[in-house]
mmCIF file of all heavy atoms in Angstrom:
data_model
loop_
_atom_site.group_PDB
_atom_site.id
_atom_site.type_symbol
_atom_site.label_atom_id
_atom_site.label_comp_id
_atom_site.label_asym_id
_atom_site.label_seq_id
_atom_site.Cartn_x
_atom_site.Cartn_y
_atom_site.Cartn_z
ATOM 1 N N PRO A 892 10.089 31.622 -78.578
ATOM 2 C CA PRO A 892 9.137 30.433 -78.543
ATOM 3 C C PRO A 892 7.921 30.876 -79.227
ATOM 4 O O PRO A 892 7.256 30.055 -80.064
ATOM 5 C CB PRO A 892 8.872 29.978 -77.216
ATOM 6 C CG PRO A 892 10.044 30.562 -76.440
ATOM 7 C CD PRO A 892 10.432 31.744 -77.089
ATOM 8 N N ILE A 909 -2.140 26.682 -100.778
ATOM 9 C CA ILE A 909 -3.260 27.636 -101.078
ATOM 10 C C ILE A 909 -2.835 28.863 -101.649
ATOM 11 O O ILE A 909 -3.342 29.405 -102.648
ATOM 12 C CB ILE A 909 -4.123 27.805 -99.888
ATOM 13 C CG1 ILE A 909 -4.814 26.388 -99.452
ATOM 14 C CG2 ILE A 909 -5.171 28.883 -100.056
ATOM 15 C CD1 ILE A 909 -5.634 26.589 -98.123
ATOM 16 N N LEU A 920 -4.865 34.595 -115.081
ATOM 17 C CA LEU A 920 -5.926 35.541 -115.375
ATOM 18 C C LEU A 920 -5.253 36.783 -116.050
ATOM 19 O O LEU A 920 -5.936 37.319 -116.908
ATOM 20 C CB LEU A 920 -6.720 35.854 -114.118
ATOM 21 C CG LEU A 920 -7.555 34.617 -113.613
ATOM 22 C CD1 LEU A 920 -8.332 35.111 -112.366
ATOM 23 C CD2 LEU A 920 -8.640 34.264 -114.643
ATOM 24 N N PRO A 934 -11.625 31.763 -132.713
ATOM 25 C CA PRO A 934 -12.659 30.884 -133.270
ATOM 26 C C PRO A 934 -12.587 29.514 -132.504
ATOM 27 O O PRO A 934 -13.521 28.813 -132.403
ATOM 28 C CB PRO A 934 -12.342 30.746 -134.733
ATOM 29 C CG PRO A 934 -10.935 31.132 -134.835
ATOM 30 C CD PRO A 934 -10.796 32.034 -133.744
ATOM 31 N N VAL A 937 -13.070 31.213 -127.677
ATOM 32 C CA VAL A 937 -14.279 31.880 -127.427
ATOM 33 C C VAL A 937 -15.484 31.289 -128.366
ATOM 34 O O VAL A 937 -16.584 31.145 -127.859
ATOM 35 C CB VAL A 937 -14.276 33.422 -127.748
ATOM 36 C CG1 VAL A 937 -15.624 34.100 -127.674
ATOM 37 C CG2 VAL A 937 -13.405 34.038 -126.659
ATOM 38 N N ASN A 943 -24.634 27.377 -130.492
ATOM 39 C CA ASN A 943 -26.027 27.387 -129.924
ATOM 40 C C ASN A 943 -27.041 26.565 -130.672
ATOM 41 O O ASN A 943 -26.646 25.786 -131.487
ATOM 42 C CB ASN A 943 -26.575 28.880 -129.892
ATOM 43 C CG ASN A 943 -26.583 29.421 -131.350
ATOM 44 O OD1 ASN A 943 -26.973 29.017 -132.294
ATOM 45 N ND2 ASN A 943 -25.937 30.792 -131.382
ATOM 46 N N GLY A 952 -24.062 22.764 -127.469
ATOM 47 C CA GLY A 952 -24.903 24.111 -127.804
ATOM 48 C C GLY A 952 -25.420 24.763 -126.512
ATOM 49 O O GLY A 952 -25.863 25.794 -126.632
ATOM 50 N N PHE A 976 -16.595 35.167 -118.195
ATOM 51 C CA PHE A 976 -17.225 34.055 -117.621
ATOM 52 C C PHE A 976 -16.099 33.029 -117.393
ATOM 53 O O PHE A 976 -15.975 32.287 -116.313
ATOM 54 C CB PHE A 976 -18.124 33.485 -118.597
ATOM 55 C CG PHE A 976 -18.767 32.174 -118.217
ATOM 56 C CD1 PHE A 976 -19.754 32.086 -117.222
ATOM 57 C CD2 PHE A 976 -18.469 31.058 -118.865
ATOM 58 C CE1 PHE A 976 -20.383 30.872 -116.731
ATOM 59 C CE2 PHE A 976 -18.947 29.770 -118.445
ATOM 60 C CZ PHE A 976 -19.913 29.813 -117.359
ATOM 61 N N VAL A 979 -14.133 33.954 -114.281
ATOM 62 C CA VAL A 979 -14.872 33.541 -113.054
ATOM 63 C C VAL A 979 -14.816 32.125 -112.774
ATOM 64 O O VAL A 979 -14.600 31.677 -111.754
ATOM 65 C CB VAL A 979 -16.331 34.153 -113.265
ATOM 66 C CG1 VAL A 979 -17.207 33.587 -112.122
ATOM 67 C CG2 VAL A 979 -16.318 35.645 -113.280
ATOM 68 N N VAL A 1011 -3.518 24.502 -112.102
ATOM 69 C CA VAL A 1011 -2.710 25.763 -112.481
ATOM 70 C C VAL A 1011 -2.304 25.604 -114.029
ATOM 71 O O VAL A 1011 -1.446 26.467 -114.442
ATOM 72 C CB VAL A 1011 -1.615 26.076 -111.689
ATOM 73 C CG1 VAL A 1011 -2.151 26.400 -110.324
ATOM 74 C CG2 VAL A 1011 -0.688 24.954 -111.490
ATOM 75 N N GLY A 1019 -4.448 26.726 -124.266
ATOM 76 C CA GLY A 1019 -5.122 25.560 -123.921
ATOM 77 C C GLY A 1019 -5.693 25.577 -122.486
ATOM 78 O O GLY A 1019 -6.351 24.513 -122.234
ATOM 79 N N PRO A 1042 -24.671 15.631 -94.051
ATOM 80 C CA PRO A 1042 -25.585 15.050 -95.049
ATOM 81 C C PRO A 1042 -26.505 16.204 -95.744
ATOM 82 O O PRO A 1042 -26.562 16.073 -96.940
ATOM 83 C CB PRO A 1042 -26.332 14.028 -94.395
ATOM 84 C CG PRO A 1042 -25.434 13.585 -93.180
ATOM 85 C CD PRO A 1042 -24.711 14.812 -92.783
ATOM 86 N N SER A 1062 -22.554 21.155 -123.171
ATOM 87 C CA SER A 1062 -21.752 22.209 -123.916
ATOM 88 C C SER A 1062 -20.424 21.512 -124.293
ATOM 89 O O SER A 1062 -19.701 22.164 -125.132
ATOM 90 C CB SER A 1062 -21.408 23.311 -122.935
ATOM 91 O OG SER A 1062 -22.630 23.833 -122.443
ATOM 92 N N THR A 1084 -26.499 5.099 -97.548
ATOM 93 C CA THR A 1084 -26.142 4.203 -98.780
ATOM 94 C C THR A 1084 -27.229 4.434 -99.800
ATOM 95 O O THR A 1084 -26.897 4.486 -101.041
ATOM 96 C CB THR A 1084 -26.272 2.631 -98.309
ATOM 97 O OG1 THR A 1084 -25.223 2.500 -97.287
ATOM 98 C CG2 THR A 1084 -25.885 1.783 -99.450
ATOM 99 N N ARG A 1088 -26.398 5.791 -103.527
ATOM 100 C CA ARG A 1088 -26.694 4.992 -104.694
ATOM 101 C C ARG A 1088 -27.647 5.890 -105.631
ATOM 102 O O ARG A 1088 -27.475 5.936 -106.862
ATOM 103 C CB ARG A 1088 -27.581 3.807 -104.316
ATOM 104 C CG ARG A 1088 -27.983 2.874 -105.512
ATOM 105 C CD ARG A 1088 -28.606 1.615 -105.079
ATOM 106 N NE ARG A 1088 -29.976 1.840 -104.417
ATOM 107 C CZ ARG A 1088 -30.131 1.848 -103.017
ATOM 108 N NH1 ARG A 1088 -29.148 1.344 -102.233
ATOM 109 N NH2 ARG A 1088 -31.287 2.035 -102.481
ATOM 110 N N LEU A 1107 -25.964 11.333 -131.447
ATOM 111 C CA LEU A 1107 -26.971 11.440 -132.325
ATOM 112 C C LEU A 1107 -27.252 12.802 -133.070
ATOM 113 O O LEU A 1107 -27.591 12.919 -134.191
ATOM 114 C CB LEU A 1107 -28.374 11.131 -131.592
ATOM 115 C CG LEU A 1107 -28.444 9.644 -131.027
ATOM 116 C CD1 LEU A 1107 -29.795 9.614 -130.236
ATOM 117 C CD2 LEU A 1107 -28.555 8.668 -132.167
ATOM 118 N N CYS A 1133 -16.844 32.032 -136.959
ATOM 119 C CA CYS A 1133 -17.708 30.990 -137.639
ATOM 120 C C CYS A 1133 -16.746 29.969 -138.084
ATOM 121 O O CYS A 1133 -17.187 28.826 -138.628
ATOM 122 C CB CYS A 1133 -18.384 31.592 -138.816
ATOM 123 S SG CYS A 1133 -19.697 32.859 -138.577
ATOM 124 N N THR A 1134 -15.375 30.206 -137.920
ATOM 125 C CA THR A 1134 -14.420 28.994 -138.251
ATOM 126 C C THR A 1134 -14.227 28.346 -136.969
ATOM 127 O O THR A 1134 -14.788 28.667 -135.910
ATOM 128 C CB THR A 1134 -13.203 29.683 -138.900
ATOM 129 O OG1 THR A 1134 -12.607 30.620 -137.996
ATOM 130 C CG2 THR A 1134 -13.571 30.342 -140.229
ATOM 131 N N GLY A 1145 -15.585 9.835 -137.949
ATOM 132 C CA GLY A 1145 -14.500 9.152 -138.664
ATOM 133 C C GLY A 1145 -13.349 10.075 -139.129
ATOM 134 O O GLY A 1145 -12.252 9.718 -139.162
ATOM 135 N N THR A 1168 3.149 13.432 -114.747
ATOM 136 C CA THR A 1168 1.869 13.737 -114.078
ATOM 137 C C THR A 1168 1.648 12.650 -112.894
ATOM 138 O O THR A 1168 1.170 13.067 -111.883
ATOM 139 C CB THR A 1168 0.702 13.541 -115.058
ATOM 140 O OG1 THR A 1168 1.028 14.628 -116.030
ATOM 141 C CG2 THR A 1168 -0.684 13.977 -114.431
ATOM 142 N N HIS A 1181 -4.863 2.866 -104.225
ATOM 143 C CA HIS A 1181 -6.094 3.192 -104.871
ATOM 144 C C HIS A 1181 -6.080 2.783 -106.287
ATOM 145 O O HIS A 1181 -6.487 3.556 -107.246
ATOM 146 C CB HIS A 1181 -6.438 4.520 -104.685
ATOM 147 C CG HIS A 1181 -6.530 4.978 -103.185
ATOM 148 N ND1 HIS A 1181 -5.654 5.375 -102.491
ATOM 149 C CD2 HIS A 1181 -7.678 5.043 -102.373
ATOM 150 C CE1 HIS A 1181 -6.066 5.699 -101.177
ATOM 151 N NE2 HIS A 1181 -7.344 5.464 -101.243
ATOM 152 N N ALA A 1185 -7.937 4.720 -109.576
ATOM 153 C CA ALA A 1185 -6.983 5.270 -110.596
ATOM 154 C C ALA A 1185 -7.069 4.664 -111.923
ATOM 155 O O ALA A 1185 -6.958 5.350 -112.973
ATOM 156 C CB ALA A 1185 -5.484 5.143 -109.974
ATOM 157 N N PHE A 1193 -8.491 7.877 -121.167
ATOM 158 C CA PHE A 1193 -7.747 7.392 -122.430
ATOM 159 C C PHE A 1193 -8.613 7.681 -123.664
ATOM 160 O O PHE A 1193 -8.094 7.807 -124.838
ATOM 161 C CB PHE A 1193 -7.451 5.982 -122.310
ATOM 162 C CG PHE A 1193 -6.772 5.393 -123.519
ATOM 163 C CD1 PHE A 1193 -5.428 5.667 -123.849
ATOM 164 C CD2 PHE A 1193 -7.505 4.563 -124.310
ATOM 165 C CE1 PHE A 1193 -4.919 5.192 -124.991
ATOM 166 C CE2 PHE A 1193 -7.051 3.944 -125.415
ATOM 167 C CZ PHE A 1193 -5.607 4.238 -125.882
ATOM 168 N N THR A 1219 -10.157 13.703 -101.897
ATOM 169 C CA THR A 1219 -11.351 13.112 -101.142
ATOM 170 C C THR A 1219 -10.918 11.810 -100.572
ATOM 171 O O THR A 1219 -11.880 11.020 -100.181
ATOM 172 C CB THR A 1219 -12.415 13.047 -102.168
ATOM 173 O OG1 THR A 1219 -12.071 12.385 -103.363
ATOM 174 C CG2 THR A 1219 -13.049 14.436 -102.433
ATOM 175 N N PRO A 1253 5.165 18.851 -128.417
ATOM 176 C CA PRO A 1253 5.729 19.750 -127.322
ATOM 177 C C PRO A 1253 7.068 19.748 -127.367
ATOM 178 O O PRO A 1253 7.818 18.943 -127.695
ATOM 179 C CB PRO A 1253 5.219 18.855 -126.096
ATOM 180 C CG PRO A 1253 5.036 17.494 -126.583
ATOM 181 C CD PRO A 1253 4.650 17.551 -128.064
ATOM 182 N N LEU A 1267 4.050 37.264 -120.782
ATOM 183 C CA LEU A 1267 4.128 38.560 -120.011
ATOM 184 C C LEU A 1267 4.984 39.673 -120.608
ATOM 185 O O LEU A 1267 6.041 39.340 -121.017
ATOM 186 C CB LEU A 1267 4.626 38.283 -118.579
ATOM 187 C CG LEU A 1267 3.658 37.487 -117.735
ATOM 188 C CD1 LEU A 1267 4.451 37.292 -116.412
ATOM 189 C CD2 LEU A 1267 2.367 38.333 -117.494
#
Side-chain angles (χ1 to χ4, degrees):
I909 295 175
L920 292 176
V937 170
N943 57 47
F976 178 75
V979 170
V1011 293
S1062 304
T1084 302
R1088 182 178 63 250
L1107 293 173
C1133 298
T1134 60
T1168 303
H1181 297 87
F1193 177 74
T1219 51
L1267 288 174

